[in-house]
Amino acid sequence: MTTPTPRRIAGGLLDPAQLGRSTPDALRKLNPATLWRNPVMFIVEIGSIFTTVLAVIHPSGFAWTITVWLWLTVIFANLAEAVAEGRGKAQADTLRRAKQDTMARRLVGDVEESVPATQLQQGDVVIVEAGQIIPGDGDVIEGIASVDESAITGESAPVIRESGGDRSAVTGGTKVLSDRIVVRITQKPGQSFIDRMIALVEGANRQKTPNEIALNILLASLTIIFLLAVATLQPLAIYSKGVQAFAPDSAALNGDGVTGIVLVSLLVCLIPTTIGALLSAIGIAGMDRLVQRNVLAMSGRAVEAAGDVNTLLLDKTGTITLGNRQAGDLLPVDGVSVQELAAAAQLSSLADETPEGRSIVVYAKERHGLRERDVSGAQWVPFTAQTRMSGVDIDGREVRKGAATAVMQWVREHGGRPTGEVGAIVDAVSTSGGTPLVVAERVAGAPARTLGVIHLKDVVKQGMRERFEEMRRMGIRTVMITGDNPLTAKAIAEEAGVDDFLAEATPEDKMALIKREQEGGKLVAMTGDGTNDAPALAQADVGVAMNTGTSAAKEAGNMVDLDSDPTKLIEIVEIGKQLLITRGALTTFSIANDIAKYFAIIPAMFAALYPGLDALNVMRLHSPTSAILSAVVFNALVIVALIPLALRGVRYRPGPAAAMLRRNLLVYGVGGVIVPFIGIKLIDLIIMTIPGIS
């Protein structure tokens, strides 16, 4: 069986085919039982129903045109949410194909029985062999195997899963490629990892975040205020003996239903329909952007919290550094050239298959032009925990490299006298955070001598200093966590550019650090993959568990990185900030563009009662009819125009919060005022050419 690979859905621009697929969903969302959760659009739908009734009773071109565009406003709002949800359905379909009916080989005592995977209970033990599908989420308790996880991660390269350690977790629906493993099921029926992924990428389990709820309350309050204000206009007009105040002087508008239609049009243009229509889509798209980067957010709250993070806790190994110590320098003693030391270091490392040994060979080749030489007849001395050194005997020459104390002891045993210079170099390398390897040789029975020291160091990943500088500009404090001694940790921290470090860290130390930061009112994010990381992941505001980690870690975190890349935490923070900025920018634009609508509709409504208000018609719109209709049409079209921005997100640039606020106010505040003036005027010019409406 071939396992499906998840499709990647391009974010941002509207795909016509996707619009077609999402339109039926948008129409289904017209159900008031569903739409009431969005109070702004719920009011628009009620207004649309009201104008529809009035248009049937008192038909006119104006009434039906307004009615159609009001319904389109609701449909466009639903379409924004449907498109955002639809972008995750392709991946959900792929996951469903991976979640097939599988038979499990369950162990009951020493007896093996075949049962459907859906009948497995938490704690059951199953056997999975090469070519078989893992029937459910669990931990490997016996054996080691190569597993194809492409159905989950999209990566074709298999991974190793084994009992014990931090790589024991397996996911139901993945395929064992080799060997045999015994798995203890950790999932509850119907709550597998794939089940949760399907629900999350489709948005079925999406709960509104605290900020989103607060903004919804604000929008609902504004809607109620404008609803009350509009409801009082007709009584005031009657009191002012201006019964026809809202019926612009046009033959197309004669009829008792005009006043109600105009009032509904005013209400729809006054309330913040733009952000009300796009708010849900912004939240769904934020989670979708994480999914596209192979990060599964268990809740929208976690994505939002990532945007407000103040402190990042990052493991040193594999996150800040490459994880393998590599040759960084060659330090010869007096009387020995660097070239001579390089040749001896390379020779002693040719049979060393460790990452450190290979790095010495490469370093000598690239920095000193040394090529691998003919070593036929050489006798290799392998590294052991007892000798703590390795080397080679060739052509009467013995070369050794290894721990300083072990190599210098070898030199003494073979008639040599290690100089104090070697000890000084070793101490300097250790103080700088590196690992010193001493190189020595003995030629043709002569006394042994030391040649110098290889400086192995944890290599900081390229570009990390720049990334941490970006974090600082964002107001985020970075803390490196490592089990190294304080001297080594300090050296790496200074080279990488992190703000602080925690050396010789234990699980208790991590938990204590997170609590200290949170007590100061800060939000904390961290990554982890082991069972010992679970308490800290649960305590952190944003806990990112590696997919290769244990089930305990994945259950404790509120995000799972399917690629198991610890540096992904930095991207997660950027996506969270982009989500918050997008929501703020479009809210600013929505409120700002109402100003132009006021200048379009208010003069049109009150011109008959107060002729002096015609001075507010700064756009010089053709007629009261076209003014009202232009505002309603623009109000609907601007939702469609902003859907791509809501899905893609406003471009995020690291910087102080004050600078981002100024930029948003300038671009989306001022732009939100100017764009509607232009748009409404252009629509008015088009409407005035349509007979029977203008």
Side-chain angles (χ1 to χ4, degrees):
M1 187 202 79
T2 58
T3 322
T5 302
R7 291 172 53 192
R8 292 287 179 228
I9 309 301
L13 300 179
L14 290 178
D15 176 9
Q18 189 170 325
L19 279 176
R21 291 192 299 268
S22 301
T23 299
D25 290 334
L27 295 175
R28 280 191 288 270
K29 289 177 182 290
L30 290 174
N31 184 352
T34 301
L35 199 62
W36 72 268
R37 296 182 180 88
N38 187 338
V40 176
M41 301 317 301
F42 183 61
I43 291 296
V44 178
E45 184 175 44
I46 292 175
S48 303
I49 295 172
F50 181 62
T51 59
T52 302
V53 173
L54 292 179
V56 170
I57 298 173
H58 305 287
S60 68
F62 173 79
W64 279 112
T65 305
I66 289 289
T67 299
V68 168
W69 280 101
L70 289 180
W71 278 112
L72 287 176
T73 301
V74 184
I75 292 172
F76 290 160
N78 291 343
L79 187 63
E81 184 174 4
V83 168
E85 291 175 352
R87 284 151 49 98
K89 287 185 178 179
Q91 184 162 350
D93 291 341
T94 300
L95 292 170
R96 283 195 180 93
R97 289 195 296 271
K99 185 178 179 295
Q100 55 182 295
D101 294 332
T102 305
M103 296 301 293
R105 298 166 57 190
R106 182 168 63 185
L107 280 178
V108 181
D110 294 330
V111 179
E112 179 183 318
E113 62 179 7
S114 182
V115 297
T118 54
Q119 294 183 13
L120 291 175
Q121 300 293 321
Q122 198 171 20
D124 284 348
V125 176
V126 298
I127 298 174
V128 192
E129 294 184 341
Q132 296 179 342
I133 302 297
I134 297 174
D137 299 350
D139 290 323
V140 179
I141 59 175
E142 181 184 320
I144 179 173
S146 174
V147 178
D148 176 10
E149 294 188 341
S150 60
I152 305 299
T153 66
E155 297 294 333
S156 58
V159 296
I160 300 299
R161 291 291 178 263
E162 57 186 329
S163 60
D166 295 337
R167 295 181 180 272
S168 60
V170 291
T171 304
T174 57
K175 183 178 182 180
V176 174
L177 299 179
S178 68
D179 303 296
R180 172 186 182 275
I181 53 176
V182 179
V183 177
R184 176 177 287 114
I185 300 299
T186 58
Q187 74 184 47
K188 295 179 181 178
Q191 296 183 13
S192 69
F193 191 66
I194 290 183
D195 288 325
R196 287 183 292 161
M197 282 187 69
I198 291 171
L200 287 165
V201 298
E202 286 188 324
N205 285 354
R206 196 185 82 90
Q207 297 180 344
K208 291 182 178 179
T209 64
N211 283 352
E212 197 173 346
I213 292 172
L215 186 54
N216 262 314
I217 293 173
L218 173 62
L219 297 180
S221 301
L222 290 174
T223 300
I224 293 172
I225 291 171
F226 285 124
L227 181 61
L228 294 175
V230 170
T232 61
L233 288 179
Q234 178 68 358
L236 287 174
I238 295 173
Y239 177 78
S240 302
K241 298 182 180 180
V243 179
Q244 298 301 319
F246 305 138
D249 187 16
S250 172
L253 299 183
N254 291 334
D256 295 335
V258 171
T259 298
I261 291 175
V262 173
L263 288 175
V264 171
S265 300
L266 174 64
L267 175 62
V268 170
C269 290
L270 286 179
I271 63 179
T273 51
T274 306
I275 185 61
L278 299 174
L279 186 58
S280 180
I282 293 170
I284 295 171
M287 294 185 69
D288 182 67
R289 281 194 289 276
L290 281 177
V291 171
Q292 290 182 31
R293 288 164 176 79
N294 261 4
V295 177
L296 179 63
M298 299 303 180
S299 69
R301 182 189 295 266
V303 185
E304 193 171 89
D308 285 328
V309 159
N310 306 107
T311 305
L312 282 181
L313 305 186
L314 300 161
D315 278 333
K316 183 203 73 172
T317 305
T319 304
I320 297 174
T321 65
L322 294 175
N324 296 317
R325 293 179 181 268
Q326 299 186 356
D329 201 3
L330 296 176
L331 306 170
V333 299
D334 287 341
V336 177
S337 67
V338 176
Q339 198 73 7
E340 186 179 358
L341 175 59
Q346 186 188 63
L347 181 63
S348 63
S349 303
L350 290 176
D352 188 347
E353 295 299 329
T354 64
E356 293 83 356
R358 302 315 302 163
S359 75
I360 294 171
V361 174
V362 172
Y363 184 89
K365 177 181 177 180
E366 293 181 349
R367 296 294 184 91
H368 300 282
L370 296 176
R371 301 288 173 180
E372 297 183 11
R373 72 288 309 271
D374 180 19
V375 289
S376 56
Q379 294 183 352
W380 303 104
V381 179
F383 176 87
T384 66
Q386 290 73 31
T387 62
R388 293 191 300 150
M389 62 180 179
S390 60
V392 61
D393 296 341
I394 184 172
D395 298 332
R397 182 186 182 197
E398 301 173 41
V399 183
R400 298 291 185 271
K401 81 166 192 302
T405 54
V407 174
M408 287 192 282
Q409 178 64 30
W410 180 83
V411 170
R412 294 189 188 95
E413 291 174 354
H414 292 81
R417 299 181 58 185
T419 63
E421 183 185 2
V422 174
I425 296 174
V426 168
D427 291 341
V429 170
S430 299
T431 302
S432 70
T435 299
L437 294 181
V438 175
V439 181
E441 70 169 1
R442 185 169 70 130
V443 181
R449 62 172 184 149
T450 53
L451 301 177
V453 177
I454 303 170
H455 182 177
L456 293 180
K457 61 180 182 179
D458 236 349
V459 179
V460 174
K461 291 182 177 179
Q462 188 174 6
M464 291 306 295
R465 176 173 284 275
E466 290 75 14
R467 297 294 294 274
F468 291 137
E469 184 59 37
E470 286 183 9
M471 295 291 110
R472 257 187 297 280
R473 290 200 298 271
M474 292 157 54
I476 296 175
R477 177 171 170 261
T478 53
V479 180
M480 182 185 77
I481 300 176
T482 177
D484 290 339
N485 63 68
L487 285 177
T488 300
K490 184 174 185 294
I492 296 293
E494 289 177 350
E495 183 179 354
V498 296
D499 298 311
D500 201 355
F501 65 89
L502 178 65
E504 298 176 342
T506 64
E508 292 76 18
D509 293 334
K510 296 177 186 179
M511 178 74 82
L513 175 59
I514 293 173
K515 288 183 176 179
R516 283 199 305 272
E517 293 288 324
Q518 291 173 332
E519 286 169 0
K522 297 178 180 178
L523 296 184
V524 181
M526 75 161 288
T527 61
D529 60 359
T531 301
N532 61 352
D533 290 324
L537 286 171
Q539 180 67 34
D541 300 284
V542 180
V544 183
M546 302 294 101
N547 190 47
T548 56
T550 61
S551 297
K554 288 194 281 189
E555 288 294 329
N558 47 28
M559 292 188 186
V560 177
D561 177 17
L562 303 179
D563 293 330
S564 300
D565 176 8
T567 61
K568 195 79 68 70
L569 182 58
I570 298 175
E571 291 183 50
I572 291 171
V573 170
E574 292 176 346
I575 291 172
K577 287 192 173 293
Q578 186 185 39
L579 170 65
L580 296 178
I581 291 171
T582 301
R583 187 183 295 155
L586 292 184
T587 301
T588 303
F589 184 90
S590 177
I591 294 174
N593 71 25
D594 286 343
I595 296 175
K597 301 172 194 173
Y598 303 157
F599 280 93
I601 288 190
I602 299 298
M605 291 180 60
F606 289 98
L609 186 60
Y610 302 109
L613 288 178
D614 189 59
L616 294 178
N617 186 13
V618 294
M619 289 180 277
R620 311 319 301 171
L621 300 177
H622 177 64
S623 68
T625 307
S626 67
I628 295 171
L629 191 52
S630 297
V632 172
V633 172
F634 175 83
N635 194 64
L637 293 180
V638 74
I639 294 173
V640 179
L642 291 176
I643 290 177
L645 183 61
L647 299 182
R648 183 181 62 245
V650 174
R651 183 180 178 185
Y652 171 69
R653 298 174 183 170
M660 288 188 285
L661 178 61
R662 283 195 303 270
R663 185 169 64 246
N664 278 348
L665 288 177
L666 180 63
V667 175
Y668 296 96
V670 177
V673 173
I674 296 174
V675 169
F677 277 95
I678 299 172
I680 291 174
K681 180 60 179 177
L682 290 175
I683 295 171
D684 176 72
L685 293 175
I686 296 172
I687 288 175
M688 63 182 291
T689 65
I690 302 175
I693 296 182
S694 62

